[in-house]
Amino acid sequence: STSPTSATRKSSDWEGGGRLVKLFPGKTYFVLSGRVHPGESPAQWMWEGFMDFILDPEDPRAKALRRLFVFKIVPIINPDGVARGHYRA
């Protein structure tokens, strides 16, 4: 039997709470977030450029990455702080 602490499982195999993720077996998860703090506007440009790249249907590099990884993408962690013009909160 395999426990959540077993070294035979990758950390990407586990979801919060220790539930085993079975939706995409064999794929590694890639998490990308932008604007963790509202004042980090350059992160928004990086995020937009990454989205343009990874969603390009003709780019062979993007196709290969989509085949290999599951992308979990969060554009803005703190949308309220961005909308209110805050810098850190």
Side-chain angles (χ1 to χ4, degrees):
S1 121
T2 305
S3 70
T5 57
S6 172
T8 61
R9 297 252 185 233
K10 297 182 295 188
S11 61
S12 61
D13 291 341
W14 295 95
E15 195 174 78
R19 293 182 297 159
L20 183 60
V21 176
K22 296 180 182 178
L23 294 175
F24 304 100
K27 286 191 173 185
T28 300
Y29 286 79
F30 180 91
V31 178
L32 177 68
S33 66
R35 293 191 83 162
V36 173
H37 300 106
E40 298 168 345
S41 54
Q44 190 74 28
W45 292 107
M46 182 277 313
W47 182 87
E48 187 174 336
F50 179 79
M51 292 301 295
D52 288 344
F53 163 71
I54 201 67
L55 295 175
D56 186 340
E58 303 301 320
D59 191 314
R61 300 168 301 166
K63 287 180 184 179
L65 288 170
R66 291 193 307 265
R67 259 192 324 274
L68 295 171
F69 296 96
V70 174
F71 291 91
K72 294 188 173 235
I73 301 173
V74 183
I76 302 174
I77 299 288
N78 183 358
D80 293 335
V82 172
R84 293 179 180 139
H86 295 217
Y87 184 74
R88 295 281 299 173

